Amino acid sequence: MTGGSAAVGGWTIDWLGDVRRAPDTRVQAVAEGPVALAVVGDCPVTDQELHATLADVRAGQWGELTRWPGSYWVVASDGRLRFVCGDLAGIRAVYYTLCGDEPAAWATEAGLLGRPLVPDLPWLAARLAVGEHHWPHHTPYAQIRLVPGGFGLLLAPGAPPQLVDIRRITPVDELREGAERFGRALTDAVQHRIHAVGAVVGADLSGGLDSSAAVVLAADAGTVHAVTYTDGYTSGEDMAFAARVAEQTGTRHTVATGGDEQLPFGFPAGQPTGVEPVLEAAMYAMDTAYLRPVRGLPLHLTGHGGDIVLDSSSACWVRLLQDGRRREAHRQVVAFARLRNTAPGPYWKAIKQAAVLGRAGSLECAAKALERGPVTPQTAVGGWSWCRLGAGASWLTAEGRHEVAALLRQAARDQQPEHADEFDQWAALRSVGASARGWAPYAEQLGVRPVYPYLDNEVVRAAFAVPALARRGLVTYKPLLRAALPALPHWLTSRRSKGSFTAQRIAGLARHQGLLDKLIASSPLTAGGLIDPAAVRAALAQAARGQSATVIADLHQLIVTCWWLTGQTAGKKVTAC
């Protein structure tokens, strides 16, 4: 969609102007005089429900336009104001920019805004050093902004764009109170799609709780063809659980066995670059191998996002301290550490520090640390932090550290949640939403149409209504899933382990080390003086030997960013405002 003439890639609605959309995208629209509403995407709303919602458009109750199942954009007008939004997770993106004195332009693709797509190198360096969640409105492109997941864009004649909070979470007191609602929302999110297509659907089946639960729900409503990837580095336990789920549900199950050609970081010829760097870009050869059997099916279910809605992080213990519940916070931290045979001291120290400093104070401390000189990466075992200087921060040059410090101070002044658990869950949700959004061009080339039931608006709302502390199971892993779907087999919901791609990534780094060295050395981040290729080269060599697994996540991010930058079209002629 583009605003001014609203777009979602070749359909036309008079009040929206010229609109373009992808083939087969569902569009539903109603209007009564100057009041109009359109829903674009995967949404089972009826015409009667749309007409009833025009009353909310007249009243400016914009958040009420986002309470249907599915994943979709909403565009509405009351005759004077125009409102546009995507979903809470940000899969359905809305980009916008200002063009001098002209009205704000908005679009569902950055390339439709008519502005040069110039990569924002300092922000990309900051994203590598401290994560992207401090700047939810930033994009990889200079001068182009993103409406953060959970917000909509309100446009009024002669006024700057206004962000409108559409999250509307109604909290409950405990897990049991919210579990039934979550179970209904998740079941509906899976099964309404199965009923709508009335045909065989594809599904990921990794063997983990999230994809397994989705397959069980889908198999109750229709016919599923599940696919699993395995290789010499994959967890045998994952494979055993996947096979057992397929057998119990009667699901057709295809297992793809990968080899060295499917290891990460190969970036095979013909792989699309995409509109933003995403970690999944490094796994394209693996995706190609295991998704081939379900190519062309009407939809493909995934468990992506399940970790975010079903679980929470140790930020919930920081929230306890923020609320003055010190004794309970300490008890939780000690119990967590003992269950993992780990000393509780480092966790407790980090959590106390996070509570004392707060968000703005933590960002200021990180900025000062960067300005003082080269930093030593902080390890992930030290508990939750508002802003962790990871291995990526240690690869910055002096200029890079200065740029990132300035961006951190800017972020400290921005309005974001000050409760640790709330900040963390929305940051994590937007991160997985960006991952799903960024994978769209890869999915298109692979011939699959992914859906993400765990990231539907009503599923997210139902999950986040349950306190983060209640979702943080110490003894039971992902207790919300067990409570919400008691019919799931106990052998599945009692699983506590989780598979990992660390071994594959180490093998991929070793196999492609020489090419990756050259990629990083020739990157605009290096040419722009923001990262030190020698420091990265040393870290890459260690990781490829399996000697430094703690830096792999940051290396992964750097590599896909450098690869993405090589495919950008900043030099193409684009009409600017």
Side-chain angles (χ1 to χ4, degrees), residues 140-198:
Y141 305 107
Q143 306 302 318
I144 293 178
R145 297 170 74 86
L146 176 72
V147 176
F151 288 80
L153 190 68
L154 188 63
L155 303 171
Q162 177 185 346
L163 292 179
V164 178
D165 192 336
I166 61 168
R167 289 173 289 185
R168 303 289 183 92
I169 307 297
T170 304
V172 298
D173 292 331
E174 57 182 19
L175 183 140
R176 184 181 303 175
E177 186 180 351
E180 183 179 353
R181 179 189 167 200
F182 176 82
R184 289 196 307 268
L186 180 61
T187 300
D188 186 41
V190 172
Q191 295 186 351
H192 92 255
R193 292 174 163 106
I194 309 301
H195 294 144
V197 300

Side-chain angles (χ1 to χ4, degrees), residues 322-343:
Q322 289 178 311
D323 290 345
R325 299 161 65 183
R326 180 185 177 91
R327 180 173 296 179
E328 184 175 358
H330 187 261
R331 179 180 62 80
Q332 293 266 347
V333 169
V334 170
F336 173 82
R338 285 176 176 169
L339 282 171
R340 286 152 184 81
N341 198 29
T342 303

Side-chain angles (χ1 to χ4, degrees), residues 40 43 75 114 174 203 223 271 301 322 326 448 478 558 566:
V40 182
C43 180
V75 186
E174 57 182 19
T223 304
Q271 175 176 343
L301 283 169
Q322 289 178 311
R326 180 185 177 91
V448 297
K478 297 184 178 178
L558 174 63
T566 65

Side-chain angles (χ1 to χ4, degrees), residues 76-374:
S77 175
D78 66 1
R80 188 181 75 87
L81 302 175
R82 175 166 292 170
F83 174 78
V84 57
C85 74
D87 59 331
L88 299 184
I91 301 174
R92 305 281 185 173
V94 176
Y95 301 91
Y96 69 105
T97 188
L98 295 175
C99 298
D101 295 329
E102 296 181 18
W106 64 269
T108 54
E109 296 179 18
L112 295 175
L113 284 169
R115 298 293 297 268
L117 297 182
V118 180
D120 187 341
L121 295 180
W123 181 78
L124 289 168
R127 184 176 185 252
L128 169 68
V130 296
E132 63 189 334
H133 47 280
H134 304 295
W135 305 274
H137 55 282
H138 269 248
T139 74
Y141 305 107
Q143 306 302 318
I144 293 178
R145 297 170 74 86
L146 176 72
V147 176
F151 288 80
L153 190 68
L154 188 63
L155 303 171
Q162 177 185 346
L163 292 179
V164 178
D165 192 336
I166 61 168
R167 289 173 289 185
R168 303 289 183 92
I169 307 297
T170 304
V172 298
D173 292 331
E174 57 182 19
L175 183 140
R176 184 181 303 175
E177 186 180 351
E180 183 179 353
R181 179 189 167 200
F182 176 82
R184 289 196 307 268
L186 180 61
T187 300
D188 186 41
V190 172
Q191 295 186 351
H192 92 255
R193 292 174 163 106
I194 309 301
H195 294 144
V197 300
V200 178
V201 304
D204 285 345
L205 182 55
S206 69
L209 288 184
D210 309 338
S211 65
S212 295
V215 167
V216 171
L217 292 175
D220 284 343
T223 304
V224 182
H225 183 174
V227 288
T228 301
Y229 177 82
T230 187
D231 60 20
Y233 306 95
T234 304
S235 160
E237 187 180 21
D238 277 351
M239 186 65 246
F241 270 90
R244 190 171 180 182
V245 168
E247 181 180 10
Q248 176 151 329
T249 58
T251 296
R252 181 182 177 188
H253 188 206
T254 301
V255 178
T257 303
D260 288 348
E261 294 76 16
Q262 281 73 46
L263 287 173
F265 309 114
F267 303 111
Q271 175 176 343
T273 307
V275 295
E276 54 191 298
V278 291
L279 297 178
E280 289 77 5
M283 324 296 280
Y284 186 73
M286 181 189 78
D287 291 343
T288 301
Y290 92 93
L291 290 172
R292 189 174 292 115
V294 291
R295 183 182 182 93
L297 294 182
L299 64 83
H300 186 80
L301 283 169
T302 83
H304 188 72
D307 284 340
I308 307 307
V309 299
L310 295 172
D311 203 354
S312 66
S313 75
S314 52
C316 64
W317 302 329
V318 178
R319 174 63 184 272
L320 287 175
L321 286 176
Q322 289 178 311
D323 290 345
R325 299 161 65 183
R326 180 185 177 91
R327 180 173 296 179
E328 184 175 358
H330 187 261
R331 179 180 62 80
Q332 293 266 347
V333 169
V334 170
F336 173 82
R338 285 176 176 169
L339 282 171
R340 286 152 184 81
N341 198 29
T342 303
Y347 284 94
W348 182 237
K349 180 180 179 181
I351 285 165
K352 287 192 298 181
Q353 184 179 37
V356 170
L357 289 175
R359 187 182 68 86
S362 296
L363 268 60
E364 176 61 29
C365 282
K368 287 180 179 178
L370 288 168
E371 290 175 334
R372 281 196 298 267

Side-chain angles (χ1 to χ4, degrees), residues 358-529:
R359 187 182 68 86
S362 296
L363 268 60
E364 176 61 29
C365 282
K368 287 180 179 178
L370 288 168
E371 290 175 334
R372 281 196 298 267
V375 299
T376 301
Q378 298 174 14
T379 61
V381 298
W384 188 83
S385 171
W386 295 93
C387 182
R388 188 181 307 282
L389 295 175
S394 70
W395 305 331
L396 296 173
T397 62
E399 181 180 352
R401 293 194 300 274
H402 176 77
E403 294 276 10
V404 174
L407 285 168
L408 282 171
R409 289 199 168 96
Q410 177 193 75
R413 297 190 295 270
D414 291 341
Q415 185 175 0
Q416 287 214 58
E418 297 298 333
H419 287 136
D421 54 346
E422 184 183 355
F423 170 85
D424 187 70
Q425 69 184 12
W426 285 101
L429 179 70
R430 290 170 185 145
S431 178
V432 298
S435 172
R437 180 177 73 236
W439 194 66
Y442 305 109
E444 183 178 0
Q445 181 142 328
L446 294 171
V448 297
R449 300 186 64 178
V451 295
Y452 306 95
Y454 287 99
L455 299 180
D456 279 7
N457 284 357
E458 290 305 280
V459 175
V460 171
R461 285 188 174 111
F464 285 2
V466 177
L469 186 63
R471 286 182 278 126
R472 179 72 169 175
L474 288 179
V475 178
T476 302
Y477 181 49
K478 297 184 178 178
L480 178 57
L481 185 65
R482 177 183 290 188
L485 299 173
L488 288 177
H490 177 74
W491 56 261
L492 176 62
T493 56
S494 61
R495 183 181 181 188
R496 294 190 55 84
S497 58
K498 182 176 176 61
S500 167
F501 281 99
T502 298
Q504 281 100 330
R505 291 193 290 183
I506 291 173
L509 292 175
R511 179 178 174 84
H512 302 293
Q513 183 178 349
L515 292 175
L516 297 179
D517 265 335
K518 293 177 182 177
L519 175 68
I520 294 164
S522 62
S523 165
L525 289 171
T526 300

